[in-house]
Amino acid sequence: MSAAPTAPAKEPTTFAFSQDYLRRAEQIIAKYPPGRQASAVLPLLDLAQRQCGNWLPRAAMDYVAGILGMAPIRVYEVATFYSMFNLQPVGKWFLQICGTTPCWLRGSDDVIRTCESKLGIKMGETTADGKFTLKEVECLGACVNAPVVQVNDDFYEDLDAASMARLIDALAADQPPPKGSMTGRQNAAPVGGPQTLDGRAPGGDD
């Protein structure tokens, strides 16, 4: 695979929530007292991004500003501050690779090299077929299961070069494996398996 051209995205000129997303937006806004609707800006931007296919065009930000009675610049400030919002289109499979210290110590460099080599792109790029986007991110908050990669909304944990390659192959075939540990680890239990509260009586032989 090769990188997609870096031409700017074509921004839509209009945006409006679908009926389903509008209903969900109204439910979110209703959680806040009168005059505090601007507090709903983060979840409404998330809804808009999801409706747009995992990116946030300016028209969507302007629409959210209108619903919440905010100046558009205030919404832009939020959208550009939080890395969860994508201001350019991303691939069908958006791979966010944690490179913070715990993941780095556990081999995230190997995971990154595997992604770039196998997909033929660098961090911040999208494959020409629009299927994959790579991004290196700060801590994903799953350090005990490092290295960790977030694929769209799901975490894949305990990765190495080989398991990352298998994960990419599965995603390319549109057959994502079950989320979680790629080694079969139970949640965040020790690598060797649970060692406490395992059902055995203290001092027992069984």
Side-chain angles (χ1 to χ4, degrees):
M1 298 181 183
S2 58
T6 56
K10 184 176 181 180
E11 291 270 344
T13 56
T14 60
F15 174 86
F17 279 138
S18 66
Q19 286 299 313
D20 178 57
Y21 278 103
L22 181 60
R23 176 183 55 79
R24 293 163 65 181
E26 290 170 344
Q27 290 173 343
I28 292 169
I29 294 170
K31 296 178 181 179
Y32 299 95
R36 300 292 184 182
Q37 289 83 1
S39 299
V41 64
L42 279 170
L44 260 63
L45 286 175
D46 180 68
L47 289 179
Q49 178 165 275
R50 291 175 186 277
Q51 182 173 316
C52 291
N54 209 19
W55 78 290
L56 198 58
R58 181 170 177 174
M61 291 186 273
D62 291 342
Y63 178 80
V64 168
I67 287 181
L68 298 177
M70 298 173 65
I73 186 61
R74 299 302 181 200
V75 177
Y76 305 158
E77 289 170 347
V78 173
T80 56
F81 180 82
Y82 289 99
S83 61
M84 70 183 77
F85 297 120
N86 304 312
L87 304 184
Q88 292 289 325
V90 297
K92 178 178 181 178
W93 302 111
F94 183 32
L95 277 57
Q96 299 179 74
I97 306 170
C98 181
T100 311
T101 304
C103 282
W104 175 74
L105 288 170
R106 294 277 292 168
S108 64
D109 282 354
D110 291 336
V111 172
I112 289 172
R113 281 192 290 267
T114 296
C115 290
E116 292 183 335
S117 174
K118 195 166 181 66
L119 296 174
I121 57 175
K122 297 295 184 182
M123 287 295 152
E125 295 182 340
T126 298
T127 55
D129 60 4
K131 202 152 192 178
F132 290 92
T133 296
L134 291 180
K135 182 179 181 181
E136 184 173 357
V137 296
E138 294 303 316
C139 184
L140 291 172
C143 307
V144 73
N145 296 77
V148 179
V149 173
Q150 181 176 344
V151 180
N152 297 348
D153 287 333
D154 296 327
F155 277 17
Y156 290 90
E157 305 161 343
D158 298 316
L159 288 156
D160 58 16
S163 58
M164 188 68 233
R166 292 194 298 272
L167 176 58
I168 290 173
D169 288 340
L171 296 173
D174 292 326
Q175 296 178 342
K179 61 187 177 182
S181 174
M182 297 297 283
T183 63
R185 190 204 305 219
Q186 180 183 354
N187 300 322
V191 173
Q195 298 175 8
T196 60
L197 301 176
D198 57 5
R200 294 179 292 180
D205 295 330
D206 56 355

